[in-house]
Structures are given as structure tokens and as C-alpha cells.
């Protein structure tokens, strides 16, 4: 089973986090990280929601059945900590959607993939936007609390 997760991805994040750790300690470090991860997830979710419309689906939405796959998008915003590693789950819940989301993202021999859906998770533009969003979220934390 694939594991979609977002981590801190911008240049200089180690230096920023070290500065927060010096000033605010571990609790400040965790809060800044959680703020950045939640902002990233919100951005990816909004991109996926804008792509998941009838007109973007294979066969121009001929077989669209009301967005069952769209409803299986993970809405949980909890950040899981394992030691000093934080993660937030993004993407579709395979328990609810089954393989439909995988077929939409990667295609099948008879069905072309939905390029925009794949790009909403893994595209270069999305990764660049996430870097910017994470950096801004951590800088906002610094401005508010330090």
C-alpha cells in the first residue's frame, strides 16, 4: 500500500527550525512544524478538489457516478509524531475508494490517466508551491510567537 505523506521540503528548513528550537524549545518546534504541514495538506486538498470534476475524468465523465472517489479524500488534519519525525497523511483513503483513485492517477490499459490529478500530488509545480507555503507558514509562526 502506498504511503502519501508530506514533509518539510524547502531549502534552509533545518536552520529555521534550529533557531525556533533555541528560542521556543521543543513545543515551539512542534507547533511550527504542524502549522507548515497542515498548510501543505490544505493546499494539496484544494488542488485535488478542483481537479475531481466530471469534465476532467476519463471519457469526459461518461462514467462519473457522483464523486465517490472524491469523497474518499482524507480529511483528517492530525499530525502524527514518531520521535522527532512528523507526518500528515494526504491523498485518498484506499479503504473507502479501493483502487479507483490509483486507476485515475496512473491509468489502465484501456483508460488514460488524469494528468492533472497526478500533478496535484506529485507535480513539479505543486512541490514548488508546497515549499513556498511551508516556508511562509513557519515564518508566520516566528512572527506571531517569537
Amino acid at each position: 500500500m502506498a504511503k502519501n505523506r508530506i514533509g518539510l521540503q524547502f531549502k534552509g528548513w533545518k536552520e529555521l527550525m534550529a533557531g525556533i528550537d533555541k528560542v521556543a524549545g521543543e513545543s515551539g518546534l512542534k507547533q511550527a512544524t504542524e502549522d507548515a504541514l497542515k498548510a501543505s495538506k490544505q493546499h494539496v486538498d484544494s488542488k485535488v478538489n478542483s481537479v475531481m470534476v466530471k469534465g476532467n475524468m476519463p471519457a469526459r465523465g461518461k462514467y462519473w457516478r457522483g464523486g465517490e472517489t472524491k469523497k474518499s479524500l482524507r480529511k483528517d488534519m492530525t499530525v502524527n509524531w514518531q520521535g522527532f519525525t512528523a507526518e500528515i497523511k494526504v491523498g485518498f483513503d484506499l479503504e473507502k475508494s479501493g483502487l479507483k483513485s490509483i486507476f485515475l492517477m496512473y491509468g489502465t490499459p484501456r483508460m488514460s490517466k488524469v494528468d492533472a490529478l497526478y500533478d496535484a500530488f506529485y507535480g513539479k509545480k505543486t512541490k514548488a508551491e508546497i515549499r513556498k507555503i511551508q516556508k511562509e507558514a513557519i515564518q508566520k509562526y516566528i512572527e506571531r510567537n517569537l
Side-chain angles (χ1 to χ4, degrees), residues 73-90:
L73 190 65
R74 293 179 193 266
K75 294 169 183 62
D76 186 23
M77 294 294 282
T78 56
V79 176
N80 300 320
W81 286 90
Q82 295 175 350
F84 289 107
T85 304
E87 63 183 24
I88 190 166
K89 294 182 179 181
V90 296

Side-chain angles (χ1 to χ4, degrees), residues 19-29 141 145-146:
I20 292 172
D21 189 29
K22 279 183 184 178
V23 176
E26 187 176 329
S27 64
L29 191 63
Y141 175 83
N145 300 307
L146 304 179

Side-chain angles (χ1 to χ4, degrees), residues 5 19 38 70 79 86 98 101 107 110 114 134 141:
R5 291 176 175 80
K38 287 177 182 178
K70 183 178 180 178
V79 176
S101 59
R110 294 183 144 197
V114 179
Q134 288 176 345
Y141 175 83

Side-chain angles (χ1 to χ4, degrees), residues 72-132:
S72 72
L73 190 65
R74 293 179 193 266
K75 294 169 183 62
D76 186 23
M77 294 294 282
T78 56
V79 176
N80 300 320
W81 286 90
Q82 295 175 350
F84 289 107
T85 304
E87 63 183 24
I88 190 166
K89 294 182 179 181
V90 296
F92 298 100
D93 186 358
L94 293 179
E95 302 265 332
K96 294 179 184 175
S97 70
L99 296 175
K100 294 176 193 172
S101 59
I102 294 173
F103 294 152
L104 287 173
M105 286 179 56
Y106 295 98
T108 67
R110 294 183 144 197
M111 178 184 79
S112 62
K113 68 180 182 174
V114 179
D115 289 323
L117 185 59
Y118 181 87
D119 290 342
F121 289 108
Y122 304 112
K124 288 181 183 180
K125 183 177 178 185
T126 301
K127 289 180 182 180
E129 292 167 348
I130 287 175
R131 280 188 215 104
K132 182 180 176 187

